[in-house]
Coordinates of all heavy atoms in Angstrom, one line a residue:
A128 N 46.2 63.7 -49.5 CA 45.8 64.2 -50.9 C 44.8 63.1 -51.4 O 44.8 62.0 -50.9 CB 47.0 64.4 -51.6
G129 N 44.2 63.4 -52.5 CA 43.3 62.5 -53.2 C 42.0 63.1 -53.4 O 41.7 64.2 -53.0
P130 N 41.1 62.3 -54.0 CA 39.8 63.0 -54.4 C 38.9 63.2 -53.0 O 38.1 64.1 -53.2 CB 39.1 61.7 -55.1 CG 39.9 60.5 -54.8 CD 41.2 61.0 -54.6
G131 N 39.3 62.5 -52.0 CA 38.5 62.9 -50.9 C 39.1 64.0 -49.9 O 38.6 64.1 -48.8
A132 N 40.2 64.6 -50.3 CA 40.9 65.5 -49.6 C 40.2 66.8 -49.3 O 39.3 67.2 -50.1 CB 42.3 65.7 -50.2
A133 N 40.4 67.5 -48.2 CA 40.0 68.7 -47.9 C 41.0 69.8 -47.9 O 42.3 69.4 -47.7 CB 39.2 68.7 -46.6
T134 N 40.7 71.0 -48.0 CA 41.6 72.1 -47.9 C 41.3 73.1 -46.7 O 40.1 73.4 -46.6 CB 41.6 73.0 -49.2 OG1 41.8 72.3 -50.3 CG2 42.6 74.1 -49.2
L135 N 42.3 73.3 -45.8 CA 41.9 74.2 -44.7 C 42.0 75.6 -45.3 O 42.5 75.9 -46.3 CB 43.1 73.9 -43.7 CG 43.1 72.4 -43.2 CD1 44.3 72.4 -42.1 CD2 41.9 72.2 -42.4
G136 N 41.6 76.5 -44.2 CA 41.5 77.9 -44.5 C 42.8 78.5 -44.9 O 42.8 79.6 -45.7
F137 N 43.9 78.1 -44.5 CA 45.2 78.6 -44.8 C 45.9 78.0 -46.0 O 47.1 78.1 -46.3 CB 46.2 78.7 -43.7 CG 46.4 77.4 -43.0 CD1 47.5 76.6 -43.3 CD2 45.6 76.9 -42.0 CE1 47.7 75.4 -42.8 CE2 45.8 75.8 -41.3 CZ 46.9 75.0 -41.7
G138 N 45.2 77.0 -46.7 CA 45.6 76.5 -47.8 C 46.2 75.0 -47.8 O 46.5 74.4 -48.8
A139 N 46.5 74.6 -46.5 CA 46.9 73.2 -46.3 C 46.0 72.1 -46.9 O 44.9 72.3 -46.6 CB 47.3 72.9 -45.0
T140 N 46.5 71.0 -47.5 CA 45.6 70.0 -47.8 C 45.6 68.8 -46.8 O 46.8 68.4 -46.4 CB 46.0 69.4 -49.3 OG1 45.9 70.6 -50.2 CG2 45.0 68.3 -49.8
I141 N 44.5 68.3 -46.5 CA 44.5 67.1 -45.5 C 43.7 66.0 -46.0 O 42.8 66.2 -47.0 CB 43.9 67.7 -44.1 CG1 42.5 68.2 -44.4 CG2 44.9 68.7 -43.6 CD1 41.8 68.4 -43.0
S142 N 43.9 64.9 -45.5 CA 43.2 63.7 -46.0 C 41.7 63.8 -45.6 O 41.4 64.5 -44.7 CB 43.7 62.4 -45.4 OG 43.5 62.4 -44.1
A143 N 40.9 62.9 -46.4 CA 39.4 63.0 -46.0 C 39.2 62.4 -44.5 O 38.4 63.0 -43.8 CB 38.7 61.9 -46.9
A144 N 40.2 61.4 -44.1 CA 40.0 60.9 -42.8 C 40.2 62.0 -41.7 O 39.6 62.1 -40.7 CB 40.9 59.8 -42.5
R145 N 41.3 62.8 -42.1 CA 41.6 64.0 -41.0 C 40.4 65.0 -41.0 O 40.1 65.4 -40.0 CB 42.9 64.4 -41.5 CG 43.5 65.6 -40.5 CD 43.9 64.9 -39.2 NE 44.6 65.8 -38.4 CZ 45.0 65.6 -37.0 NH1 44.8 64.4 -36.6 NH2 45.6 66.5 -36.4
A146 N 39.9 65.2 -42.1 CA 38.8 66.2 -42.2 C 37.7 65.7 -41.4 O 37.0 66.5 -40.8 CB 38.5 66.5 -43.7
R147 N 37.4 64.5 -41.5 CA 36.1 63.9 -40.8 C 36.5 64.0 -39.2 O 35.6 64.2 -38.4 CB 35.8 62.4 -41.1 CG 35.1 62.3 -42.5 CD 34.7 60.9 -42.6 NE 35.8 59.9 -42.8 CZ 36.4 59.6 -43.9 NH1 36.1 60.1 -44.9 NH2 37.5 58.7 -44.0
W148 N 37.7 63.7 -39.0 CA 38.2 63.8 -37.5 C 38.0 65.1 -36.9 O 37.5 65.3 -35.8 CB 39.6 63.3 -37.3 CG 40.1 63.3 -35.9 CD1 40.0 62.3 -35.0 CD2 41.0 64.2 -35.4 NE1 40.5 62.6 -33.8 CE2 41.1 63.7 -34.0 CE3 41.4 65.4 -35.8 CZ2 41.9 64.6 -33.1 CZ3 42.2 66.1 -34.9 CH2 42.4 65.8 -33.6
L149 N 38.4 66.3 -37.7 CA 38.3 67.5 -37.2 C 36.7 68.0 -37.2 O 36.3 68.7 -36.3 CB 39.0 68.5 -38.2 CG 40.5 68.4 -38.2 CD1 41.2 69.2 -39.4 CD2 41.2 68.8 -36.9
A150 N 36.0 67.5 -38.3 CA 34.6 67.9 -38.2 C 33.9 67.4 -37.0 O 32.9 68.0 -36.7 CB 33.9 67.5 -39.5
C151 N 34.2 66.2 -36.6 CA 33.6 65.5 -35.5 C 33.6 66.6 -34.2 O 32.6 66.5 -33.5 CB 34.3 64.3 -35.2 SG 33.1 63.3 -34.1
D152 N 34.5 67.4 -34.0 CA 34.6 68.3 -32.9 C 34.6 69.7 -33.2 O 35.2 70.6 -32.5 CB 35.7 67.8 -32.0 CG 35.6 68.4 -30.6 OD1 34.6 68.4 -30.1 OD2 36.7 68.8 -30.0
G153 N 34.1 70.1 -34.4 CA 34.3 71.5 -34.9 C 32.9 72.2 -35.1 O 31.9 71.8 -34.5
G154 N 33.0 73.4 -35.6 CA 31.8 74.1 -35.9 C 31.5 73.9 -37.4 O 32.3 73.8 -38.2
I155 N 30.3 74.0 -37.8 CA 29.9 74.0 -39.2 C 29.1 75.0 -39.5 O 28.2 75.4 -38.9 CB 29.0 72.6 -39.4 CG1 29.9 71.5 -39.1 CG2 28.5 72.5 -40.9 CD1 29.2 70.1 -39.3
T156 N 29.6 75.7 -40.6 CA 28.7 76.8 -41.3 C 28.5 76.6 -42.7 O 29.4 76.3 -43.5 CB 29.5 78.1 -41.2 OG1 30.0 78.3 -39.8 CG2 28.7 79.3 -41.6
R157 N 27.2 76.6 -43.0 CA 26.8 76.4 -44.4 C 27.0 77.8 -45.1 O 26.6 78.8 -44.8 CB 25.3 76.0 -44.6 CG 24.8 75.7 -46.0 CD 23.4 75.6 -46.0 NE 22.8 76.8 -45.6 CZ 21.6 77.1 -45.1 NH1 20.8 76.0 -45.0 NH2 21.2 78.2 -44.8
I158 N 27.7 77.6 -46.4 CA 27.9 78.8 -47.2 C 27.5 78.4 -48.6 O 28.1 77.6 -49.1 CB 29.3 79.3 -47.1 CG1 29.8 79.8 -45.7 CG2 29.5 80.6 -48.1 CD1 31.2 80.1 -45.7
V159 N 26.3 79.1 -49.1 CA 25.9 78.8 -50.4 C 26.6 79.9 -51.4 O 26.4 81.1 -51.2 CB 24.4 78.8 -50.6 CG1 24.0 78.6 -51.9 CG2 23.8 77.8 -49.6
L160 N 27.3 79.4 -52.3 CA 28.0 80.2 -53.3 C 27.1 80.3 -54.7 O 26.6 79.4 -55.1 CB 29.4 79.8 -53.6 CG 30.3 79.7 -52.4 CD1 31.6 79.1 -52.9 CD2 30.5 81.0 -51.8
G161 N 27.1 81.6 -55.3 CA 26.5 81.8 -56.4 C 27.4 81.3 -57.6 O 28.6 81.0 -57.4
P162 N 27.0 81.6 -58.9 CA 27.8 81.0 -60.0 C 29.2 81.9 -60.2 O 30.1 81.2 -60.8 CB 26.9 81.3 -61.2 CG 25.8 82.2 -60.8 CD 25.7 82.1 -59.3
E163 N 29.3 83.0 -59.6 CA 30.6 83.7 -59.6 C 31.3 83.6 -58.5 O 32.3 84.2 -58.2 CB 30.2 85.3 -59.9 CG 29.3 85.5 -61.1 CD 30.0 85.0 -62.5 OE1 31.2 85.1 -62.4 OE2 29.3 84.5 -63.3
G164 N 30.9 82.6 -57.6 CA 31.7 82.4 -56.3 C 31.3 83.3 -55.2 O 31.9 83.4 -54.1
Q165 N 30.3 84.2 -55.5 CA 29.9 85.1 -54.4 C 29.0 84.4 -53.3 O 28.1 83.6 -53.8 CB 29.2 86.3 -54.9 CG 27.7 86.0 -55.4 CD 27.6 85.5 -56.6 OE1 28.5 84.8 -57.3 NE2 26.5 85.7 -57.3
P166 N 29.2 84.6 -52.0 CA 28.4 83.9 -50.9 C 26.9 84.5 -51.1 O 26.7 85.7 -51.0 CB 29.1 84.4 -49.7 CG 30.0 85.5 -50.0 CD 30.2 85.5 -51.5
L167 N 26.0 83.6 -51.3 CA 24.6 83.9 -51.4 C 23.9 83.8 -50.0 O 23.0 84.5 -49.6 CB 23.8 83.1 -52.4 CG 24.3 83.2 -53.8 CD1 23.5 82.3 -54.6 CD2 24.1 84.6 -54.2
D168 N 24.4 82.9 -49.2 CA 23.8 82.5 -47.9 C 24.8 82.0 -47.0 O 25.5 81.0 -47.3 CB 22.6 81.6 -48.1 CG 21.9 81.1 -46.9 OD1 22.0 81.9 -45.9 OD2 21.3 80.0 -46.8
V169 N 24.9 82.6 -45.9 CA 25.9 82.2 -44.9 C 25.0 81.8 -43.6 O 24.5 82.7 -43.0 CB 26.9 83.3 -44.5 CG1 27.9 82.8 -43.3 CG2 27.6 83.7 -45.7
G170 N 24.8 80.5 -43.5 CA 24.2 80.1 -42.3 C 24.7 80.3 -41.1 O 25.8 80.7 -40.9
R171 N 23.9 79.9 -40.0 CA 24.5 80.1 -38.6 C 25.6 79.0 -38.5 O 25.3 77.9 -38.8 CB 23.4 79.9 -37.6 CG 22.5 81.3 -37.6 CD 21.5 81.1 -36.4 NE 21.6 79.9 -35.7 CZ 21.0 79.5 -34.7 NH1 20.3 80.6 -34.0 NH2 21.1 78.4 -33.9
T172 N 26.6 79.3 -37.7 CA 27.6 78.2 -37.3 C 26.9 77.4 -36.3 O 26.3 78.0 -35.4 CB 28.8 78.9 -36.7 OG1 29.4 79.7 -37.6 CG2 29.8 78.0 -36.2
H173 N 27.0 76.1 -36.4 CA 26.3 75.2 -35.6 C 27.5 74.4 -34.8 O 28.3 73.7 -35.4 CB 25.5 74.2 -36.3 CG 24.9 73.2 -35.4 ND1 23.9 73.5 -34.4 CD2 25.1 71.9 -35.5 CE1 23.5 72.4 -33.9 NE2 24.2 71.3 -34.6
R174 N 27.6 74.5 -33.5 CA 28.5 73.6 -32.7 C 28.0 72.1 -32.7 O 26.8 71.8 -32.4 CB 28.5 74.2 -31.3 CG 29.5 73.4 -30.5 CD 30.9 73.9 -30.7 NE 31.9 73.2 -30.0 CZ 33.0 73.0 -30.2 NH1 33.6 73.6 -31.2 NH2 33.9 72.4 -29.4
V175 N 28.8 71.3 -33.3 CA 28.4 69.9 -33.4 C 28.1 69.3 -32.1 O 27.1 68.6 -31.8 CB 29.4 69.2 -34.3 CG1 29.1 67.7 -34.4 CG2 29.6 69.8 -35.6
V176 N 28.9 69.4 -31.1 CA 28.8 68.9 -29.8 C 28.6 70.0 -28.9 O 29.5 70.6 -28.4 CB 30.0 68.0 -29.3 CG1 29.8 67.4 -27.9 CG2 30.1 66.9 -30.4
P177 N 27.2 70.3 -28.4 CA 27.1 71.4 -27.5 C 27.6 71.1 -26.0 O 27.9 69.9 -25.7 CB 25.6 71.5 -27.5 CG 25.0 70.3 -28.0 CD 26.1 69.6 -28.9
R178 N 27.9 72.1 -25.3 CA 28.5 71.9 -24.0 C 27.7 70.9 -23.1 O 28.4 70.2 -22.5 CB 28.6 73.3 -23.3 CG 29.4 73.3 -22.2 CD 29.7 74.6 -21.5 NE 30.1 75.5 -22.6 CZ 30.4 76.9 -22.2 NH1 30.3 77.3 -21.1 NH2 30.8 77.7 -23.2
H179 N 26.4 71.1 -23.1 CA 25.6 70.2 -22.2 C 25.9 68.8 -22.5 O 25.8 67.9 -21.6 CB 24.2 70.6 -22.1 CG 23.5 70.3 -23.4 ND1 23.4 71.0 -24.5 CD2 22.7 69.2 -23.7 CE1 22.8 70.5 -25.5 NE2 22.3 69.4 -25.0
L180 N 26.0 68.4 -23.8 CA 26.2 67.1 -24.2 C 27.6 66.5 -23.8 O 27.7 65.5 -23.4 CB 26.0 66.9 -25.7 CG 26.3 65.6 -26.3 CD1 25.4 64.5 -25.7 CD2 26.0 65.5 -27.9
R181 N 28.6 67.5 -24.0 CA 29.8 67.0 -23.5 C 29.9 66.7 -22.0 O 30.6 65.7 -21.6 CB 30.9 68.2 -23.8 CG 32.3 67.7 -23.3 CD 33.5 68.6 -23.6 NE 34.7 68.2 -22.9 CZ 35.6 67.3 -23.4 NH1 35.4 67.1 -24.7 NH2 36.6 66.9 -22.8
R182 N 29.2 67.6 -21.3 CA 29.2 67.2 -19.8 C 28.4 66.0 -19.5 O 29.0 65.2 -18.6 CB 28.4 68.4 -19.1 CG 29.4 69.7 -18.8 CD 28.8 70.6 -17.8 NE 27.5 71.1 -18.2 CZ 27.2 72.3 -18.8 NH1 28.4 73.1 -18.9 NH2 26.1 72.7 -19.1
A183 N 27.5 65.6 -20.3 CA 26.8 64.3 -20.0 C 27.7 63.2 -20.4 O 27.7 62.2 -19.8 CB 25.5 64.4 -20.8
V184 N 28.3 63.3 -21.7 CA 29.3 62.2 -22.1 C 30.4 62.1 -21.0 O 30.7 60.9 -20.7 CB 29.8 62.6 -23.4 CG1 30.8 61.5 -24.0 CG2 28.7 62.6 -24.5
E185 N 30.9 63.1 -20.5 CA 32.0 63.1 -19.5 C 31.5 62.3 -18.3 O 32.3 61.5 -17.8 CB 32.6 64.5 -19.2 CG 33.3 65.2 -20.2 CD 33.9 66.5 -19.8 OE1 33.3 67.1 -18.7 OE2 34.8 67.1 -20.4
A186 N 30.4 62.6 -17.8 CA 29.8 62.0 -16.7 C 29.6 60.6 -17.0 O 29.9 59.7 -15.9 CB 28.5 62.7 -16.2
R187 N 29.1 60.1 -18.1 CA 28.9 58.7 -18.4 C 30.1 58.0 -18.6 O 30.4 56.9 -18.0 CB 28.0 58.5 -19.6 CG 27.6 57.1 -19.9 CD 27.1 57.0 -21.3 NE 28.0 57.4 -22.3 CZ 27.7 57.7 -23.6 NH1 26.5 57.6 -23.9 NH2 28.8 58.1 -24.5
D188 N 31.2 58.5 -19.5 CA 32.3 57.8 -19.9 C 33.5 58.0 -18.9 O 34.2 57.0 -18.7 CB 32.7 58.3 -21.1 CG 31.8 57.9 -22.4 OD1 30.9 57.1 -22.0 OD2 31.9 58.4 -23.5
G189 N 33.6 59.1 -18.3 CA 34.7 59.4 -17.3 C 36.1 59.6 -17.9 O 36.9 60.2 -17.4
G190 N 36.3 58.9 -19.1 CA 37.7 59.1 -19.8 C 37.5 58.5 -21.2 O 36.4 58.0 -21.5
C191 N 38.6 58.3 -21.9 CA 38.7 57.7 -23.2 C 38.0 56.2 -23.0 O 38.3 55.4 -22.2 CB 40.1 57.6 -23.6 SG 40.2 56.8 -25.2
V192 N 37.2 56.0 -24.0 CA 36.5 54.7 -24.0 C 37.2 53.7 -24.8 O 36.6 52.5 -24.8 CB 34.9 54.9 -24.5 CG1 34.2 55.8 -23.5 CG2 35.0 55.4 -25.9
F193 N 38.4 53.9 -25.4 CA 39.1 52.8 -26.1 C 39.6 51.9 -25.2 O 40.0 52.1 -24.1 CB 40.2 53.5 -26.8 CG 40.8 52.7 -27.9 CD1 40.3 52.7 -29.2 CD2 41.9 51.9 -27.5 CE1 40.9 51.9 -30.2 CE2 42.4 51.0 -28.6 CZ 41.9 51.1 -29.8
A194 N 39.4 50.5 -25.5 CA 39.7 49.5 -24.7 C 41.1 49.6 -24.0 O 42.0 49.8 -24.9 CB 39.6 48.2 -25.3
G195 N 41.3 49.6 -22.8 CA 42.6 49.6 -22.2 C 43.2 51.0 -22.0 O 44.4 51.1 -21.4
C196 N 42.6 52.0 -22.5 CA 43.1 53.4 -22.3 C 42.5 53.9 -21.0 O 41.3 53.8 -20.8 CB 42.6 54.2 -23.6 SG 43.5 55.9 -23.6
H197 N 43.3 54.7 -20.4 CA 42.8 55.3 -19.2 C 43.1 56.8 -19.1 O 43.2 57.6 -18.1 CB 43.6 54.7 -18.0 CG 43.4 53.3 -17.8 ND1 42.3 52.7 -17.4 CD2 44.3 52.2 -18.1 CE1 42.4 51.4 -17.4 NE2 43.6 51.0 -17.8
A198 N 43.0 57.4 -20.4 CA 43.2 59.0 -20.5 C 41.9 59.6 -19.8 O 40.8 59.2 -20.0 CB 43.3 59.3 -21.9
P199 N 42.2 60.6 -19.0 CA 41.1 61.4 -18.3 C 40.3 62.1 -19.3 O 40.7 62.4 -20.4 CB 41.7 62.3 -17.3 CG 43.1 62.5 -17.9 CD 43.5 61.2 -18.7
A200 N 39.1 62.5 -18.9 CA 38.2 63.2 -19.7 C 38.8 64.5 -20.3 O 38.4 64.9 -21.5 CB 36.8 63.5 -18.9
H201 N 39.6 65.2 -19.6 CA 40.1 66.5 -20.0 C 41.1 66.4 -21.0 O 41.5 67.2 -21.6 CB 40.6 67.4 -18.9 CG 41.7 66.8 -18.1 ND1 41.5 66.0 -17.0 CD2 43.0 67.0 -18.3 CE1 42.7 65.7 -16.7 NE2 43.7 66.2 -17.3
W202 N 41.6 65.2 -21.4 CA 42.4 64.9 -22.5 C 41.6 64.4 -23.8 O 42.2 64.2 -24.8 CB 43.4 63.7 -22.2 CG 44.5 64.1 -21.3 CD1 44.7 65.3 -20.6 CD2 45.5 63.2 -20.9 NE1 45.7 65.2 -19.7 CE2 46.3 64.0 -19.9 CE3 45.9 62.0 -21.1 CZ2 47.3 63.4 -19.2 CZ3 47.0 61.4 -20.4 CH2 47.8 62.1 -19.5
C203 N 40.4 64.4 -23.5 CA 39.4 63.7 -24.7 C 38.7 64.7 -25.4 O 38.2 65.8 -24.9 CB 38.6 62.6 -24.0 SG 39.4 61.3 -23.3
D204 N 38.2 64.4 -26.5 CA 37.1 65.1 -27.3 C 36.1 64.0 -27.5 O 36.2 62.9 -27.3 CB 37.6 65.3 -28.7 CG 38.7 66.3 -28.6 OD1 38.7 67.3 -27.8 OD2 39.7 66.2 -29.4
V205 N 34.8 64.6 -27.5 CA 33.6 63.8 -27.9 C 33.4 63.6 -29.3 O 33.7 64.5 -30.2 CB 32.2 64.6 -27.4 CG1 31.1 63.8 -27.7 CG2 32.3 65.0 -26.0
H206 N 33.4 62.2 -29.7 CA 33.3 61.8 -31.1 C 32.0 61.2 -31.3 O 31.4 60.5 -30.5 CB 34.4 61.0 -31.5 CG 35.7 61.8 -31.6 ND1 36.1 62.4 -32.7 CD2 36.7 61.9 -30.7 CE1 37.3 63.0 -32.4 NE2 37.6 62.8 -31.2
H207 N 31.5 61.2 -32.4 CA 30.3 60.4 -32.9 C 30.7 58.9 -33.2 O 31.6 58.7 -33.7 CB 29.7 61.0 -34.2 CG 29.2 62.3 -34.2 ND1 30.0 63.5 -34.2 CD2 27.9 62.7 -34.0 CE1 29.2 64.5 -34.1 NE2 27.9 64.1 -34.1
L208 N 30.0 58.0 -32.6 CA 30.2 56.7 -32.7 C 30.0 56.3 -34.1 O 30.6 55.5 -34.8 CB 29.3 55.8 -31.7 CG 29.7 56.1 -30.2 CD1 28.7 55.4 -29.3 CD2 31.2 56.0 -30.0
V209 N 28.6 56.7 -34.6 CA 28.3 56.6 -36.1 C 28.6 58.0 -36.5 O 27.9 59.0 -36.1 CB 27.0 56.2 -36.3 CG1 26.6 56.3 -37.8 CG2 26.6 54.9 -35.8
H210 N 29.6 58.1 -37.5 CA 30.0 59.6 -37.7 C 28.9 60.4 -38.4 O 27.9 59.9 -39.1 CB 31.1 59.4 -38.8 CG 31.9 60.7 -39.0 ND1 31.5 61.8 -39.7 CD2 33.0 61.0 -38.4 CE1 32.4 62.8 -39.6 NE2 33.3 62.4 -38.8
W211 N 29.0 61.7 -38.0 CA 28.1 62.6 -38.5 C 27.8 62.5 -39.9 O 26.8 62.6 -40.4 CB 28.4 64.0 -38.0 CG 27.6 65.2 -38.3 CD1 26.4 65.4 -37.7 CD2 27.7 66.0 -39.3 NE1 25.7 66.6 -38.3 CE2 26.5 66.9 -39.3 CE3 28.6 66.2 -40.3 CZ2 26.5 68.0 -40.2 CZ3 28.4 67.1 -41.3 CH2 27.3 68.1 -41.2
A212 N 29.0 62.5 -40.7 CA 28.9 62.5 -42.1 C 28.1 61.3 -42.7 O 27.6 61.3 -43.8 CB 30.2 62.6 -42.7
D213 N 28.0 60.2 -41.8 CA 27.3 59.0 -42.3 C 25.9 59.0 -41.8 O 25.3 58.0 -41.7 CB 28.2 57.8 -41.7 CG 29.6 57.7 -42.4 OD1 29.6 58.1 -43.6 OD2 30.4 57.1 -41.8
G214 N 25.4 60.1 -41.2 CA 24.1 60.2 -40.7 C 24.0 60.0 -39.2 O 22.8 59.9 -38.6
G215 N 25.0 59.9 -38.5 CA 25.0 59.7 -37.1 C 24.6 61.0 -36.3 O 24.9 62.0 -36.7
E216 N 23.6 60.7 -35.4 CA 23.1 61.9 -34.8 C 24.0 62.4 -33.6 O 25.0 61.8 -33.1 CB 21.7 61.5 -34.0 CG 20.7 61.2 -34.9 CD 19.4 60.8 -34.1 OE1 19.4 60.8 -32.9 OE2 18.5 60.4 -34.8
T217 N 23.8 63.8 -33.3 CA 24.6 64.4 -32.2 C 23.8 64.1 -31.0 O 23.0 65.0 -30.6 CB 25.0 65.8 -32.5 OG1 25.7 66.0 -33.7 CG2 25.8 66.5 -31.4
S218 N 24.0 62.9 -30.4 CA 23.1 62.6 -29.1 C 24.1 61.9 -28.2 O 25.3 61.5 -28.5 CB 22.1 61.7 -29.6 OG 22.6 60.5 -30.0
L219 N 23.5 61.8 -27.0 CA 24.4 61.1 -26.0 C 24.5 59.6 -26.3 O 25.7 59.1 -26.2 CB 23.6 61.1 -24.5 CG 24.2 60.4 -23.3 CD1 25.7 61.0 -23.1 CD2 23.3 60.5 -22.3
E220 N 23.6 59.0 -26.9 CA 23.7 57.5 -27.3 C 24.7 57.3 -28.4 O 25.4 56.2 -28.5 CB 22.2 57.1 -27.8 CG 21.2 57.0 -26.8 CD 20.7 58.4 -26.4 OE1 20.8 59.4 -27.3 OE2 20.2 58.7 -25.3
N221 N 25.0 58.3 -29.2 CA 25.9 58.2 -30.4 C 27.2 59.0 -30.1 O 27.9 59.3 -31.1 CB 25.2 58.8 -31.6 CG 26.1 58.4 -32.9 OD1 26.5 57.3 -33.0 ND2 26.2 59.3 -33.7
S222 N 27.5 59.2 -28.8 CA 28.7 60.0 -28.5 C 29.5 59.2 -27.5 O 29.1 58.5 -26.9 CB 28.4 61.3 -27.9 OG 27.6 62.1 -28.8
G223 N 30.9 59.5 -27.7 CA 31.8 58.8 -26.8 C 33.0 59.6 -26.7 O 33.4 60.3 -27.7
L224 N 33.7 59.5 -25.5 CA 35.0 60.3 -25.3 C 36.1 59.3 -25.9 O 36.3 58.2 -25.6 CB 35.2 60.4 -23.8 CG 34.5 61.6 -23.1 CD1 34.7 61.6 -21.7 CD2 34.7 62.8 -23.8
L225 N 37.0 60.0 -26.6 CA 38.2 59.5 -27.2 C 39.4 60.5 -27.0 O 39.2 61.6 -27.2 CB 38.0 59.1 -28.7 CG 37.1 58.0 -29.0 CD1 37.0 57.8 -30.5 CD2 37.8 56.6 -28.3
C226 N 40.5 60.0 -26.6 CA 41.7 60.8 -26.4 C 42.2 61.0 -27.9 O 41.8 60.3 -28.8 CB 42.8 60.3 -25.4 SG 43.4 58.6 -26.3
E227 N 43.1 61.9 -28.0 CA 43.7 62.3 -29.4 C 44.4 61.1 -30.0 O 44.3 61.0 -31.1 CB 44.6 63.5 -29.4 CG 45.0 63.8 -30.7 CD 45.6 65.2 -30.7 OE1 45.6 66.0 -29.6 OE2 46.3 65.6 -31.7
R228 N 45.0 60.3 -29.2 CA 45.6 59.0 -29.6 C 44.6 58.0 -30.3 O 44.9 57.4 -31.5 CB 46.4 58.3 -28.6 CG 47.0 57.1 -29.0 CD 47.9 56.5 -27.9 NE 48.7 55.3 -28.4 CZ 49.0 54.4 -27.7 NH1 48.7 54.5 -26.4 NH2 49.6 53.3 -28.2
H229 N 43.5 57.9 -29.8 CA 42.4 57.0 -30.4 C 41.4 57.6 -31.2 O 40.5 57.1 -31.7 CB 41.7 56.3 -29.2 CG 42.8 55.4 -28.5 ND1 43.1 55.5 -27.1 CD2 43.7 54.5 -28.9 CE1 44.1 54.8 -26.8 NE2 44.5 54.1 -27.8
Ligands
ZN155 ZN1 42.5 56.8 -25.5

């Protein structure tokens, strides 16, 4: 909870940190609302980490890149090293495999 918190589709409130973590491996759809709350523009859903990029990151990293962790690639998600919300690009250079623990 707090000023940076987000609300999930079913009403649960999550922290800003958790929202950033989910956004790193999710899909993003821009929805522009009018003054009465009606949707004016529903943009295309954009997969943040496309499949071909995940395969490239898996080939490079092999598994979780956190120091001392040996979690295999299939336990990991691709995350932005410089977070997308902070201007980080969705690119091989700015991506790394991290297990859910890290
Ligand atoms: Zn790990």
Side-chain angles (χ1 to χ4, degrees):
T134 304
L135 298 178
F137 57 92
T140 301
I141 59 174
S142 70
R145 187 70 171 172
R147 283 191 297 273
W148 182 82
L149 291 172
C151 193
D152 197 34
I155 296 174
T156 301
R157 180 192 66 205
I158 301 175
V159 179
L160 300 177
E163 305 300 323
Q165 75 278 24
L167 298 176
D168 179 21
V169 180
R171 287 183 2 165
T172 298
H173 177 67
R174 183 76 183 161
V175 176
V176 178
R178 187 179 308 188
H179 73 276
L180 178 58
R181 178 178 173 96
R182 284 196 296 264
V184 175
E185 284 179 347
R187 183 194 63 199
D188 294 348
C191 179
V192 296
F193 194 87
C196 183
H197 302 289
H201 64 273
W202 288 2
C203 298
D204 295 316
V205 177
H206 289 275
H207 293 82
L208 302 177
V209 176
H210 197 280
W211 181 82
D213 295 328
E216 293 183 0
T217 303
S218 65
L219 180 60
E220 295 76 25
N221 192 41
S222 297
L224 283 179
L225 289 171
C226 69
E227 187 166 344
R228 182 175 180 206
H229 296 122

